[in-house]
Amino acid sequence: MSRIHFLPVKYGDSFVIECDKAGNHGVVVVDGGPNGCGKILQAKLDELGRTPDLMVLTHYDDDHIGGLIQYIKTCSKTFKLPAREIWANCATYVQAAEMQVPMSKEMVEVVDENGKTTYVQADRSAAQAVKLARFVDYLTKNTELSWRDDLVEGISKKYPFASIEVVSPTEHGRELAIGKQEIAAAKMKTKSVGLLGDEVKMDAPVEEDIRPLEELALDVPKPPSEKADAQVANAASVAFVLRCDDLSILMLGDCYPHNVVDYLRKKGYTPLHPLVVDYVKVSHHGSMHNTSNELLDLIKCNHYIISTNGDKFGHPDREVFAHILCHPNRNRKEKVHLYFNYEIATLLKKSGRFLLGGEMAKYNFVAHQNVSVLPLK
């Protein structure tokens, strides 16, 4: 039986997907959560007793890459395969193979061609991509690990245990992200300066000062800016559809909806002929900037996964649930299931009232908290 293991990695993403197809079994890892969460991923893989067949880094922000670096670094010490194959758009141009990479936005020493020393801030996200590339490059040269770094929309691959189709990013988005990594690598010197499914009842009174879901659903997220590092990283996020015999899931990473909409339309999907999947991993932990009616109208799905503990960025946002529950093409007679890997009461305190009392019956949905495995038993 195929399963989605939904790991509790703070405000980040990490999934271990067991796939079954035609009698073949495989394991796919998607992201590793923030720095410090590698042990959580390692524990789950030890429990399954299997080397992942595929490991996918959706993009290089810390809340997705940090745990993978920790896990892969541990593997590199003993030449152990972290996975048989890794998908990660980290620059193959890694002068980083001999570098210590700073792990935060701290000052790093830079020596120019004239021998002048200055101190600059390292872009943490791009720097971490360079560090991951360092370890993966090392392992591909010393083990049978295969590394793919050309992930753009339209790429697909059939494995014995599953098929995968990439729906984002565009080639332009990937090139922008790779450029950020190369700039970060060029700034670095050898030494751095720093470094289960409980159903929820919502019976509280509705607050009248919070905008209704129908109104919020009309909001349209803006396209990302190429001038903002964080938005470039998210726009380059790998998103894909994974299918096996008894499971299909759209993994959206932190991508923006615009790229996915364009791709799905090119593939012939429409509101009358939508992409059908069992689950959608909601983009960017439920950020208001990464989900739209336009996208959801092209997808037929009643099961949505939101990965965050609410720390740092205060996700999820109420606008996301407005889109999920009120987009024009939704069939209100079919119940929507929302899955959270932390307690909703905690999320409400950190994120604000993204769902209100009385809305569960009105919009025909159910919320599940502390989820660790999907489908629920």
Side-chain angles (χ1 to χ4, degrees), residues 14-212:
S14 187
F15 297 86
V16 178
I17 306 174
E18 293 186 85
C19 305
D20 284 308
K21 182 180 178 183
N24 299 299
H25 187 72
V27 172
V28 178
V29 171
V30 184
D31 294 332
N35 187 36
C37 290
K39 293 181 179 179
I40 298 173
L41 174 59
Q42 179 71 68
K44 176 54 65 177
L45 294 175
D46 289 345
E47 177 188 318
L48 297 179
R50 184 184 178 101
T51 299
D53 297 275
L54 175 65
M55 180 173 287
V56 180
L57 169 68
T58 60
H59 64 299
Y60 52 71
D61 278 346
D62 176 66
D63 53 337
H64 297 255
I65 195 176
L68 286 188
I69 291 175
Q70 185 181 13
Y71 167 70
I72 293 173
K73 181 179 179 180
T74 299
C75 293
S76 69
K77 292 178 180 178
T78 58
F79 298 100
K80 176 184 175 182
L81 276 180
R84 291 180 174 82
E85 184 175 358
I86 288 180
W87 287 10
N89 281 339
C90 297
T92 309
Y93 156 91
V94 266
Q95 286 182 338
E98 304 299 329
M99 290 181 181
Q100 291 273 337
V101 179
M103 295 298 294
S104 64
K105 279 192 173 179
E106 298 184 11
M107 303 305 290
V108 294
E109 186 178 0
V110 177
V111 181
D112 66 19
E113 59 184 4
N114 297 317
K116 182 180 178 181
T117 299
T118 57
Y119 292 87
V120 301
Q121 280 198 325
D123 180 333
R124 178 178 184 177
S125 293
Q128 285 191 302
V130 176
K131 183 164 189 175
L132 180 68
R134 171 196 175 198
F135 289 122
V136 175
D137 183 60
Y138 174 74
L139 287 169
T140 55
K141 292 175 179 176
N142 292 280
T143 71
E144 296 179 354
L145 174 67
S146 172
W147 173 20
R148 184 166 192 170
D149 68 344
D150 62 345
L151 304 166
V152 294
E153 61 180 22
I155 284 178
S156 63
K157 185 168 182 178
K158 291 184 178 180
Y159 294 91
F161 52 86
S163 63
I164 298 179
E165 179 182 8
V166 178
V167 301
S168 186
T170 62
E171 180 60 45
H172 179 63
R174 176 188 172 277
E175 289 175 352
L176 285 175
I178 293 295
K180 293 289 184 183
Q181 296 171 42
E182 292 178 347
I183 290 171
K187 288 182 178 179
M188 295 172 194
K189 194 186 170 183
T190 302
K191 209 170 186 178
S192 66
V193 177
L195 202 48
L196 268 180
D198 300 328
E199 187 174 319
V200 181
K201 294 182 179 180
M202 297 182 180
D203 51 8
V206 175
E207 291 90 340
E208 294 182 357
D209 60 335
I210 296 181
R211 290 173 66 192

Side-chain angles (χ1 to χ4, degrees), residues 326-371:
C326 300
H327 66 93
N329 207 42
R330 185 202 164 187
N331 184 348
R332 296 283 187 101
K333 295 180 180 179
E334 297 179 1
K335 189 179 294 293
V336 164
H337 293 261
L338 307 172
Y339 302 97
F340 301 85
N341 53 345
Y342 286 90
E343 288 189 4
I344 291 180
T346 300
L347 294 178
L348 290 171
K349 290 178 182 177
K350 297 177 179 180
S351 308
R353 301 292 292 179
F354 56 82
L355 293 171
L356 304 177
E359 290 180 335
M360 185 173 287
K362 181 178 180 181
Y363 297 103
N364 193 20
F365 74 91
V366 60
H368 308 268
Q369 64 184 356
N370 297 321
V371 175

Side-chain angles (χ1 to χ4, degrees), residues 217 280 282 291-293 296 301-306 318-327 330 332 336-338 365:
V280 171
V282 175
T291 300
S292 69
N293 286 350
L296 293 173
C301 181
N302 290 323
H303 300 265
Y304 295 86
I305 300 168
I306 300 95
R318 181 165 168 79
E319 287 84 350
V320 171
F321 302 101
H323 293 305
I324 291 172
L325 299 171
C326 300
H327 66 93
R330 185 202 164 187
R332 296 283 187 101
V336 164
H337 293 261
L338 307 172
F365 74 91

Side-chain angles (χ1 to χ4, degrees), residues 159-308:
Y159 294 91
F161 52 86
S163 63
I164 298 179
E165 179 182 8
V166 178
V167 301
S168 186
T170 62
E171 180 60 45
H172 179 63
R174 176 188 172 277
E175 289 175 352
L176 285 175
I178 293 295
K180 293 289 184 183
Q181 296 171 42
E182 292 178 347
I183 290 171
K187 288 182 178 179
M188 295 172 194
K189 194 186 170 183
T190 302
K191 209 170 186 178
S192 66
V193 177
L195 202 48
L196 268 180
D198 300 328
E199 187 174 319
V200 181
K201 294 182 179 180
M202 297 182 180
D203 51 8
V206 175
E207 291 90 340
E208 294 182 357
D209 60 335
I210 296 181
R211 290 173 66 192
L213 292 178
E214 287 93 347
E215 182 180 324
L216 283 173
L218 299 176
D219 291 352
V220 179
K222 295 179 180 179
S225 168
E226 295 185 2
K227 296 180 180 180
D229 288 348
Q231 292 182 42
V232 168
N234 290 340
S237 180
V238 175
F240 61 91
V241 179
L242 181 149
R243 296 186 185 278
C244 42
D245 281 348
D246 54 353
L247 177 71
S248 59
I249 181 169
L250 174 60
M251 300 291 293
L252 290 174
D254 279 9
C255 74
Y256 286 88
H258 313 81
N259 290 348
V260 182
V261 166
D262 290 345
Y263 179 77
L264 293 180
R265 283 179 171 166
K266 283 188 290 187
K267 295 290 288 187
Y269 292 106
T270 68
L272 295 178
H273 175 60
L275 171 71
V276 180
V277 291
D278 298 320
Y279 296 91
V280 171
K281 200 295 292 188
V282 175
S283 181
H284 203 182
H285 324 286
S287 167
M288 71 177 74
H289 304 295
N290 300 75
T291 300
S292 69
N293 286 350
E294 192 176 19
L295 172 60
L296 293 173
D297 276 349
L298 296 176
I299 301 167
K300 181 174 175 54
C301 181
N302 290 323
H303 300 265
Y304 295 86
I305 300 168
I306 300 95
S307 176
T308 185

